[in-house]
Amino acid sequence: MGGGGAAALALLVAPLSWAFGSVWGRRLPMPVGLMAPATQMLCAGVMMLGVSAVLGERMVGTPPLRAVVSFVYLVLFGSLVAFSAYAYLLRNARPALATSYAYVNPAVAVLLGVVFAGETLGPLTWGAMAAILFSVMLLARGKR
């Protein structure tokens, strides 16, 4: 919470940019198949490498195995599978339904924590997850 004005601005601009891109992307000519998300991820990766170079970020040692395994998981499921599914939904569904992943992801993360990290859920968490899933169901049933 102490990031200052630039951090607060980034927190406001990032979701607005994502939403704008999601709506605008439906009207743009995009590559077919998996090339659309691949092109977007490659461009973002190059841009982030540039930002990290400007900020002076450097790798100072070998990452631990757990970090490497986590990175591979994020590349496979968080990027290739999830982003490809998102791009597919953007082409074939309403933007409101396609962006419902933002509601579902926290629920999935909580359930993964229960399964893999032995976390326990209280009544408030179960109620929040039910509200999330109910909201997604309402989005899915909305007008097409």
Side-chain angles (χ1 to χ4, degrees):
M1 298 302 290
L9 183 63
L11 286 173
L12 292 172
V13 170
L16 290 172
S17 300
W18 184 271
F20 175 75
S22 295
V23 173
W24 192 40
R26 289 178 57 116
R27 294 171 175 79
L28 294 175
M30 300 294 271
V32 294
L34 294 177
M35 278 309 295
T39 304
Q40 294 169 5
M41 286 188 279
L42 285 171
C43 290
V46 169
M47 289 175 59
M48 292 309 293
L49 280 173
V51 169
S52 68
V54 167
L55 294 176
E57 295 178 350
R58 303 284 181 264
M59 185 178 261
V60 292
T62 305
L65 178 62
R66 186 172 180 178
V68 172
V69 170
S70 298
F71 175 75
V72 169
Y73 168 80
L74 286 173
V75 166
L76 291 176
F77 294 103
S79 294
L80 297 177
V81 173
F83 198 68
S84 298
Y86 178 70
Y88 173 82
L89 279 175
L90 275 180
R91 287 188 311 273
N92 297 297
R94 296 175 294 121
L97 181 59
T99 56
S100 66
Y101 78 92
Y103 306 117
V104 175
N105 280 357
V108 170
V110 167
L111 291 176
L112 288 174
V114 168
V115 172
F116 293 111
E119 296 174 357
T120 57
L121 304 181
L124 190 61
T125 306
W126 283 110
M129 286 181 36
I132 289 168
L133 296 176
F134 181 71
S135 300
V136 172
M137 181 197 71
L138 290 177
L139 278 171
R141 296 187 69 214
K143 65 179 181 181
R144 296 185 194 270

PDB file of all heavy atoms in Angstrom, residues 7 20 26 30 67 69 75 78 99 112-113 116 118 120 125-126 132 140-141 144:
ATOM      1  N   ALA A   7       2.458   3.628  -8.605  1.00  0.00           N
ATOM      2  CA  ALA A   7       1.898   2.283  -8.403  1.00  0.00           C
ATOM      3  C   ALA A   7       0.375   2.324  -8.443  1.00  0.00           C
ATOM      4  O   ALA A   7      -0.267   1.456  -9.047  1.00  0.00           O
ATOM      5  CB  ALA A   7       2.390   1.703  -7.082  1.00  0.00           C
ATOM      6  N   PHE A  20     -10.040  -2.610 -22.469  1.00  0.00           N
ATOM      7  CA  PHE A  20     -10.056  -1.952 -23.776  1.00  0.00           C
ATOM      8  C   PHE A  20      -9.526  -2.903 -24.849  1.00  0.00           C
ATOM      9  O   PHE A  20     -10.130  -3.047 -25.915  1.00  0.00           O
ATOM     10  CB  PHE A  20      -9.216  -0.670 -23.738  1.00  0.00           C
ATOM     11  CG  PHE A  20      -9.094  -0.004 -25.074  1.00  0.00           C
ATOM     12  CD1 PHE A  20     -10.162   0.702 -25.608  1.00  0.00           C
ATOM     13  CD2 PHE A  20      -7.923  -0.094 -25.804  1.00  0.00           C
ATOM     14  CE1 PHE A  20     -10.059   1.319 -26.843  1.00  0.00           C
ATOM     15  CE2 PHE A  20      -7.807   0.512 -27.039  1.00  0.00           C
ATOM     16  CZ  PHE A  20      -8.882   1.226 -27.562  1.00  0.00           C
ATOM     17  N   ARG A  26     -11.561  -7.745 -30.613  1.00  0.00           N
ATOM     18  CA  ARG A  26     -12.581  -8.474 -31.382  1.00  0.00           C
ATOM     19  C   ARG A  26     -12.784  -7.864 -32.762  1.00  0.00           C
ATOM     20  O   ARG A  26     -13.239  -8.527 -33.675  1.00  0.00           O
ATOM     21  CB  ARG A  26     -13.903  -8.465 -30.634  1.00  0.00           C
ATOM     22  CG  ARG A  26     -13.906  -9.329 -29.410  1.00  0.00           C
ATOM     23  CD  ARG A  26     -15.236  -9.233 -28.705  1.00  0.00           C
ATOM     24  NE  ARG A  26     -16.314  -9.611 -29.592  1.00  0.00           N
ATOM     25  CZ  ARG A  26     -17.097 -10.655 -29.426  1.00  0.00           C
ATOM     26  NH1 ARG A  26     -16.926 -11.426 -28.397  1.00  0.00           N
ATOM     27  NH2 ARG A  26     -18.057 -10.915 -30.288  1.00  0.00           N
ATOM     28  N   MET A  30      -6.863 -10.603 -36.672  1.00  0.00           N
ATOM     29  CA  MET A  30      -5.875 -11.301 -35.854  1.00  0.00           C
ATOM     30  C   MET A  30      -5.402 -12.554 -36.583  1.00  0.00           C
ATOM     31  O   MET A  30      -6.128 -13.103 -37.409  1.00  0.00           O
ATOM     32  CB  MET A  30      -6.488 -11.708 -34.515  1.00  0.00           C
ATOM     33  CG  MET A  30      -6.994 -10.549 -33.684  1.00  0.00           C
ATOM     34  SD  MET A  30      -5.693  -9.476 -33.143  1.00  0.00           S
ATOM     35  CE  MET A  30      -5.291 -10.266 -31.626  1.00  0.00           C
ATOM     36  N   ALA A  67      11.352 -22.734  -7.797  1.00  0.00           N
ATOM     37  CA  ALA A  67      11.034 -21.558  -8.603  1.00  0.00           C
ATOM     38  C   ALA A  67      10.980 -21.918 -10.082  1.00  0.00           C
ATOM     39  O   ALA A  67      10.114 -21.430 -10.823  1.00  0.00           O
ATOM     40  CB  ALA A  67      12.055 -20.454  -8.351  1.00  0.00           C
ATOM     41  N   VAL A  69      10.275 -24.912 -11.388  1.00  0.00           N
ATOM     42  CA  VAL A  69       9.062 -25.713 -11.596  1.00  0.00           C
ATOM     43  C   VAL A  69       7.833 -24.800 -11.612  1.00  0.00           C
ATOM     44  O   VAL A  69       6.937 -24.964 -12.452  1.00  0.00           O
ATOM     45  CB  VAL A  69       8.939 -26.812 -10.524  1.00  0.00           C
ATOM     46  CG1 VAL A  69       7.584 -27.491 -10.576  1.00  0.00           C
ATOM     47  CG2 VAL A  69      10.049 -27.827 -10.693  1.00  0.00           C
ATOM     48  N   VAL A  75       4.156 -20.990 -17.315  1.00  0.00           N
ATOM     49  CA  VAL A  75       4.285 -20.901 -18.775  1.00  0.00           C
ATOM     50  C   VAL A  75       3.272 -21.822 -19.444  1.00  0.00           C
ATOM     51  O   VAL A  75       2.562 -21.427 -20.370  1.00  0.00           O
ATOM     52  CB  VAL A  75       5.723 -21.236 -19.222  1.00  0.00           C
ATOM     53  CG1 VAL A  75       5.782 -21.477 -20.718  1.00  0.00           C
ATOM     54  CG2 VAL A  75       6.677 -20.119 -18.823  1.00  0.00           C
ATOM     55  N   GLY A  78      -0.616 -21.138 -17.099  1.00  0.00           N
ATOM     56  CA  GLY A  78      -1.004 -19.745 -16.949  1.00  0.00           C
ATOM     57  C   GLY A  78      -0.919 -18.965 -18.239  1.00  0.00           C
ATOM     58  O   GLY A  78      -1.646 -17.994 -18.428  1.00  0.00           O
ATOM     59  N   THR A  99     -14.379 -12.397 -20.132  1.00  0.00           N
ATOM     60  CA  THR A  99     -13.608 -11.858 -19.018  1.00  0.00           C
ATOM     61  C   THR A  99     -14.053 -12.408 -17.667  1.00  0.00           C
ATOM     62  O   THR A  99     -13.523 -11.996 -16.639  1.00  0.00           O
ATOM     63  CB  THR A  99     -13.687 -10.317 -18.999  1.00  0.00           C
ATOM     64  OG1 THR A  99     -15.049  -9.926 -18.941  1.00  0.00           O
ATOM     65  CG2 THR A  99     -13.025  -9.721 -20.227  1.00  0.00           C
ATOM     66  N   LEU A 112      -7.026 -24.909  -5.394  1.00  0.00           N
ATOM     67  CA  LEU A 112      -5.687 -25.484  -5.527  1.00  0.00           C
ATOM     68  C   LEU A 112      -4.931 -25.410  -4.207  1.00  0.00           C
ATOM     69  O   LEU A 112      -4.174 -26.323  -3.865  1.00  0.00           O
ATOM     70  CB  LEU A 112      -4.907 -24.773  -6.635  1.00  0.00           C
ATOM     71  CG  LEU A 112      -5.351 -25.071  -8.066  1.00  0.00           C
ATOM     72  CD1 LEU A 112      -4.607 -24.185  -9.057  1.00  0.00           C
ATOM     73  CD2 LEU A 112      -5.152 -26.536  -8.399  1.00  0.00           C
ATOM     74  N   GLY A 113      -5.140 -24.332  -3.464  1.00  0.00           N
ATOM     75  CA  GLY A 113      -4.527 -24.220  -2.146  1.00  0.00           C
ATOM     76  C   GLY A 113      -5.028 -25.291  -1.193  1.00  0.00           C
ATOM     77  O   GLY A 113      -4.269 -25.839  -0.393  1.00  0.00           O
ATOM     78  N   PHE A 116      -3.443 -28.773  -2.779  1.00  0.00           N
ATOM     79  CA  PHE A 116      -1.983 -28.945  -2.789  1.00  0.00           C
ATOM     80  C   PHE A 116      -1.263 -28.382  -1.566  1.00  0.00           C
ATOM     81  O   PHE A 116      -0.149 -28.804  -1.276  1.00  0.00           O
ATOM     82  CB  PHE A 116      -1.389 -28.323  -4.056  1.00  0.00           C
ATOM     83  CG  PHE A 116      -1.789 -29.050  -5.302  1.00  0.00           C
ATOM     84  CD1 PHE A 116      -2.643 -28.464  -6.216  1.00  0.00           C
ATOM     85  CD2 PHE A 116      -1.331 -30.333  -5.563  1.00  0.00           C
ATOM     86  CE1 PHE A 116      -3.022 -29.131  -7.368  1.00  0.00           C
ATOM     87  CE2 PHE A 116      -1.704 -31.014  -6.712  1.00  0.00           C
ATOM     88  CZ  PHE A 116      -2.551 -30.409  -7.610  1.00  0.00           C
ATOM     89  N   GLY A 118      -2.900 -27.876   1.586  1.00  0.00           N
ATOM     90  CA  GLY A 118      -3.562 -28.243   2.835  1.00  0.00           C
ATOM     91  C   GLY A 118      -4.275 -27.085   3.518  1.00  0.00           C
ATOM     92  O   GLY A 118      -4.497 -27.125   4.729  1.00  0.00           O
ATOM     93  N   THR A 120      -7.332 -24.648   4.701  1.00  0.00           N
ATOM     94  CA  THR A 120      -8.714 -24.918   5.105  1.00  0.00           C
ATOM     95  C   THR A 120      -9.564 -23.692   4.785  1.00  0.00           C
ATOM     96  O   THR A 120      -9.087 -22.564   4.784  1.00  0.00           O
ATOM     97  CB  THR A 120      -8.806 -25.229   6.608  1.00  0.00           C
ATOM     98  OG1 THR A 120      -8.268 -24.135   7.339  1.00  0.00           O
ATOM     99  CG2 THR A 120      -8.047 -26.499   6.943  1.00  0.00           C
ATOM    100  N   THR A 125     -15.312 -17.903   3.198  1.00  0.00           N
ATOM    101  CA  THR A 125     -14.675 -18.243   1.923  1.00  0.00           C
ATOM    102  C   THR A 125     -15.626 -19.048   1.050  1.00  0.00           C
ATOM    103  O   THR A 125     -15.726 -18.801  -0.158  1.00  0.00           O
ATOM    104  CB  THR A 125     -13.375 -19.028   2.167  1.00  0.00           C
ATOM    105  OG1 THR A 125     -12.545 -18.288   3.058  1.00  0.00           O
ATOM    106  CG2 THR A 125     -12.632 -19.275   0.874  1.00  0.00           C
ATOM    107  N   TRP A 126     -16.305 -20.016   1.636  1.00  0.00           N
ATOM    108  CA  TRP A 126     -17.270 -20.800   0.853  1.00  0.00           C
ATOM    109  C   TRP A 126     -18.382 -19.911   0.307  1.00  0.00           C
ATOM    110  O   TRP A 126     -18.810 -20.057  -0.834  1.00  0.00           O
ATOM    111  CB  TRP A 126     -17.861 -21.925   1.702  1.00  0.00           C
ATOM    112  CG  TRP A 126     -16.944 -23.085   1.867  1.00  0.00           C
ATOM    113  CD1 TRP A 126     -16.312 -23.468   3.003  1.00  0.00           C
ATOM    114  CD2 TRP A 126     -16.533 -24.006   0.846  1.00  0.00           C
ATOM    115  NE1 TRP A 126     -15.521 -24.568   2.759  1.00  0.00           N
ATOM    116  CE2 TRP A 126     -15.647 -24.928   1.450  1.00  0.00           C
ATOM    117  CE3 TRP A 126     -16.817 -24.150  -0.508  1.00  0.00           C
ATOM    118  CZ2 TRP A 126     -15.049 -25.960   0.745  1.00  0.00           C
ATOM    119  CZ3 TRP A 126     -16.221 -25.185  -1.205  1.00  0.00           C
ATOM    120  CH2 TRP A 126     -15.357 -26.075  -0.579  1.00  0.00           C
ATOM    121  N   ILE A 132     -19.224 -15.895  -6.335  1.00  0.00           N
ATOM    122  CA  ILE A 132     -18.444 -15.779  -7.570  1.00  0.00           C
ATOM    123  C   ILE A 132     -19.025 -16.693  -8.645  1.00  0.00           C
ATOM    124  O   ILE A 132     -19.281 -16.271  -9.774  1.00  0.00           O
ATOM    125  CB  ILE A 132     -16.966 -16.126  -7.315  1.00  0.00           C
ATOM    126  CG1 ILE A 132     -16.301 -15.022  -6.505  1.00  0.00           C
ATOM    127  CG2 ILE A 132     -16.224 -16.371  -8.621  1.00  0.00           C
ATOM    128  CD1 ILE A 132     -14.937 -15.408  -5.963  1.00  0.00           C
ATOM    129  N   ALA A 140     -23.107 -16.077 -17.934  1.00  0.00           N
ATOM    130  CA  ALA A 140     -23.221 -17.087 -18.987  1.00  0.00           C
ATOM    131  C   ALA A 140     -24.646 -17.171 -19.523  1.00  0.00           C
ATOM    132  O   ALA A 140     -24.857 -17.448 -20.699  1.00  0.00           O
ATOM    133  CB  ALA A 140     -22.777 -18.441 -18.466  1.00  0.00           C
ATOM    134  N   ARG A 141     -25.626 -16.909 -18.670  1.00  0.00           N
ATOM    135  CA  ARG A 141     -27.016 -17.006 -19.086  1.00  0.00           C
ATOM    136  C   ARG A 141     -27.536 -15.728 -19.700  1.00  0.00           C
ATOM    137  O   ARG A 141     -28.636 -15.694 -20.222  1.00  0.00           O
ATOM    138  CB  ARG A 141     -27.901 -17.372 -17.889  1.00  0.00           C
ATOM    139  CG  ARG A 141     -27.570 -18.743 -17.348  1.00  0.00           C
ATOM    140  CD  ARG A 141     -28.539 -19.178 -16.306  1.00  0.00           C
ATOM    141  NE  ARG A 141     -29.817 -19.428 -16.957  1.00  0.00           N
ATOM    142  CZ  ARG A 141     -30.998 -19.189 -16.390  1.00  0.00           C
ATOM    143  NH1 ARG A 141     -31.053 -18.686 -15.193  1.00  0.00           N
ATOM    144  NH2 ARG A 141     -32.102 -19.443 -17.034  1.00  0.00           N
ATOM    145  N   ARG A 144     -27.129 -12.933 -25.577  1.00  0.00           N
ATOM    146  CA  ARG A 144     -25.964 -13.213 -26.423  1.00  0.00           C
ATOM    147  C   ARG A 144     -25.925 -12.235 -27.533  1.00  0.00           C
ATOM    148  O   ARG A 144     -26.350 -11.969 -28.413  1.00  0.00           O
ATOM    149  CB  ARG A 144     -26.020 -14.642 -26.915  1.00  0.00           C
ATOM    150  CG  ARG A 144     -25.925 -15.576 -25.729  1.00  0.00           C
ATOM    151  CD  ARG A 144     -25.859 -17.025 -26.187  1.00  0.00           C
ATOM    152  NE  ARG A 144     -26.088 -17.874 -25.069  1.00  0.00           N
ATOM    153  CZ  ARG A 144     -25.150 -18.331 -24.288  1.00  0.00           C
ATOM    154  NH1 ARG A 144     -23.913 -18.005 -24.467  1.00  0.00           N
ATOM    155  NH2 ARG A 144     -25.444 -19.115 -23.283  1.00  0.00           N
TER     156      ARG A 144
END
